[in-house]
Amino acid sequence: MVCRVTTFAFEGIEAKPVDVQVQISSGNPFFTIVGLPDKAVGESKERVRAAFSAIGLATPPKRITVNLAPADLPKEGSHYDLAIALAMLAAMGVIAPDALDGHAAVGELSLDGALGPTLGVLPAAMAAQAMDLRLICPEVCGPEAAWAGEGTLAVPSLIAMINHFAGRSSLPAPVAGELAPPQAVPDLADVKGQDGAKRVLEIAAAGGHNLLFCGPPGSGKSMLAQRLPGLLPPLSATELLEVSQIQSVAGMLERGKLSRQRPFRAPHHSASMAALVGGGIKARPGEVSLAHHGVLFLDELPEFPAQVLDSLRQPLEDGAVVISRANRHVRYPARFQLVAAMNPCRCGGGPGDGACRRGPACARQYQSRISGPFFDRIDLFFDTPPVTAIDLALPAPTEGTSEAATRVQQARDIQTDRFEKLGAEDGRRPINADAPTRHLTDIASPDEAANALLADAAAKLALSARAYHRVLKVARTIADLDGAGGVRRVHIAEALSYRRRPPEGETVSHARSLAH
């Protein structure tokens, strides 16, 4: 007799059903797990055997075969323990085999029979709901699984689960975890001076545009970038679910507590490619996926290895990362807003003692570490001037994050209404930065004077097709902040002012050639 129960294998944040089949047959005592298990899954038999012993059950001295179907799907992780134990209990007659009908299970067993925390419970619970199955998970993960809907069964231990199926006790339904209260964010009023930088930061927040601050040390680049999350609206219900699934797979959800604050990730410039875009032996999500629907801040941009930065080019365009392996492809969502900061040259390029002593060649050499195609994907470039003693002596600005966030929300509401009329597609966010190119004619068509200015600038600055469209998107965002219905010349002019200006001595044609 073969007893079955459903569990899940994870490919990215997608939970794929796995049929756990257990057969106990006559023969020499032997316990084997087949179906492409990794080492953690293979060790499950020892955890199951020890857990059975802890509750007074002996593993039958027979041939025990556990098959994880489909057999060609790689199985990784310790969350298969509970499903294997359940199917074995049914095969041993401890619980009725038909009691497992309509159930799925994920969970790691301890040697004493307790169930410990397990990664990926939220996507597993959502997949179980879609299949009309009731998910059995560890009690500690119950608040997380309950976000997927009713029907979750959260059990503290193996013996409690046996008693539940035997009718000797009943387990209460878990309650969904709390929404974490908003955390205090740095206020824009703390930044003195840099009015132009605050303006470009507001534009970036309103349209979701990628932004690069370039300026000498101490000019406030990092301070400004850290205040961007405070300008962004909270996550929508759909975005919250996507972000939480990634955090569940990464083991970042504590007791099912979700947060509507947008992620802000700031990896060090020594981060490897696998740490940034994801990968490793088990293809874990990287910083770009953990920043999904949030902000990825790269400080000291040229100090990142060139290969690591260029690996961001594809997710910046597609909003996803595909990690390829010999036998499978793992996809993680990665629609993030990139904000970066850099010094103009290795010497710093500041005034006084921080001034560069090597001239323009230093800036050209330092900035050449970043490829042209990467620069081409940044919408807004702003040179932050040094903050003077006079700026620091002035009183704090009266306008801070709350006032700017109100204008950003108004601009985003305009964009949401506009894209609802066009129809959402491809999981794109309803913001200008993600607007499909074919819709630019409808949403960002400039008037005659603005079109003439853009055409002239495109020829003189040798703008690529991507850069041309990004200028239009930025101009549309500026118009939204102004409450204007159409894109006018003044909007195009401001958008063009935020394009990258090559260092002195680097010609436009040379900068353009870097993009090929």
Side-chain angles (χ1 to χ4, degrees), residues 51-264:
F52 279 11
S53 177
I55 62 174
L57 290 176
T59 305
K62 296 183 178 182
R63 184 176 185 86
I64 302 173
T65 304
V66 178
N67 180 41
L68 307 177
D72 60 345
L73 178 67
K75 319 299 189 305
E76 298 176 346
S78 59
H79 63 276
Y80 294 91
D81 292 1
L82 183 56
I84 292 173
L86 270 173
M88 284 186 61
L89 289 172
M92 293 163 58
V94 177
I95 60 176
D98 58 356
L100 299 179
D101 294 343
H103 287 83
V106 293
E108 178 182 338
L109 277 173
S110 299
L111 299 185
D112 60 357
L115 291 171
T118 301
L119 303 182
V121 168
L122 180 57
M126 294 176 61
Q129 285 282 336
M131 298 172 64
D132 200 22
L133 297 176
R134 189 178 188 188
L135 182 71
I136 306 171
C137 69
E139 184 181 47
V140 69
C141 300
E144 177 182 336
W147 280 103
E150 299 179 354
T152 301
L153 184 62
V155 295
S157 63
L158 201 57
I159 191 65
M161 185 177 60
I162 294 173
N163 289 333
H164 174 81
F165 281 113
R168 291 187 288 269
S169 64
S170 180
L171 295 169
V175 179
E178 300 177 353
L179 271 176
Q183 297 180 353
V185 293
D187 199 300
L188 205 56
D190 298 335
V191 182
K192 295 185 177 181
Q194 300 294 8
D195 291 336
K198 293 178 183 179
R199 165 68 174 174
V200 75
L201 192 71
E202 188 174 321
I203 295 171
H209 302 289
N210 300 325
L211 168 64
L212 172 61
F213 286 123
C214 181
S219 57
K221 304 184 295 296
S222 299
M223 281 187 69
L224 288 160
Q226 290 164 0
R227 281 149 180 78
L228 177 59
L231 302 180
L232 300 175
L235 294 167
S236 67
T238 302
E239 292 173 337
L240 174 63
L241 202 56
E242 292 180 11
V243 170
S244 299
Q245 288 185 78
I246 298 172
Q247 292 174 343
S248 176
V249 171
M252 296 172 58
L253 290 184
E254 297 182 4
R255 300 293 299 182
K257 184 178 290 188
L258 309 187
S259 174
R260 294 194 65 194
Q261 282 190 304
R262 294 187 179 271
F264 181 82

